[in-house]
Amino acid sequence: MGGMSGPHVIRGSVSLPEAELMWRFSRSSGPGGQHVNTSDSQVELRFDLAKTESLPEVWKQRALERLAGRLLDGVVTVRSSEHRSQWRNRETAAVRLAALLAEATAPPPKPRRATRIPRGINERRLREKKQRAETKRGRTGRDWG
């Protein structure tokens, strides 16, 4: 396989294990044209998330949990058929899978720590609010007639 760009990094030193990727090629659907009915340019990339040894255990659990709706027997599937060349579709599929796994294995966000609003800021807000109310009250056209 000459020219396939290097390992697709998920995060840090972890990248997609080439050996565990299952590729399937088929004809893209959609309207035909010259060349289209004869070439298998649609790419389906499958990765067995449940059985993989290449992801840290914590990541694997996280990904299995988050991608539960997308998995079929622990296998995640990505399809690509935008490009006319199979090679570019392979690239797209691999990049998509890497991005999907990166998102699914990301650590949960840190919980937000509640902080108090400084008194000065709160007082200023209330002062400005009163001022605004005054301005608006002055706009009623009672005494104009």
Side-chain angles (χ1 to χ4, degrees):
M1 230 174 340
M4 191 79 174
S5 68
H8 292 278
V9 176
I10 298 174
R11 206 170 51 250
S13 59
V14 181
S15 56
L16 281 181
E18 197 63 56
E20 292 182 31
L21 301 181
M22 296 168 279
W23 298 93
R24 239 177 70 199
F25 308 103
S26 55
R27 296 184 184 149
S28 295
S29 59
Q34 294 168 325
H35 174 77
V36 78
N37 298 326
T38 55
S39 63
D40 292 346
S41 59
Q42 173 171 288
V43 170
E44 188 180 283
L45 173 57
R46 297 169 63 212
F47 177 64
D48 197 335
L49 191 55
K51 294 197 180 82
T52 185
E53 299 287 308
S54 57
L55 293 180
E57 197 52 42
V58 193
W59 286 24
K60 198 160 114 175
Q61 289 314 318
R62 243 183 244 153
L64 284 168
E65 227 166 85
R66 291 187 189 163
L67 297 174
R70 280 198 65 153
L71 297 177
L72 218 155
D73 297 333
V75 177
V76 65
T77 306
V78 177
R79 270 199 197 90
S80 170
S81 60
E82 294 83 274
H83 305 295
R84 284 183 57 178
S85 91
Q86 187 191 93
W87 186 79
R88 282 179 56 201
N89 279 331
R90 290 179 68 135
E91 280 294 288
T92 312
V95 168
R96 246 188 235 158
L97 181 62
L100 189 71
L101 289 176
E103 205 174 302
T105 56
K110 288 199 171 73
R112 181 181 179 278
R113 284 224 326 268
T115 53
R116 283 194 52 214
I117 298 169
R119 209 168 80 216
I121 287 178
N122 217 9
E123 283 172 0
R124 189 181 75 198
R125 181 180 64 85
L126 293 174
R127 254 201 325 275
E128 286 171 1
K129 197 171 159 159
K130 271 205 179 79
Q131 182 72 49
R132 190 96 191 114
E134 275 305 304
T135 306
K136 288 188 172 190
R137 266 187 54 212
R139 286 185 189 153
T140 51
R142 286 190 303 258
D143 340 320
W144 278 13

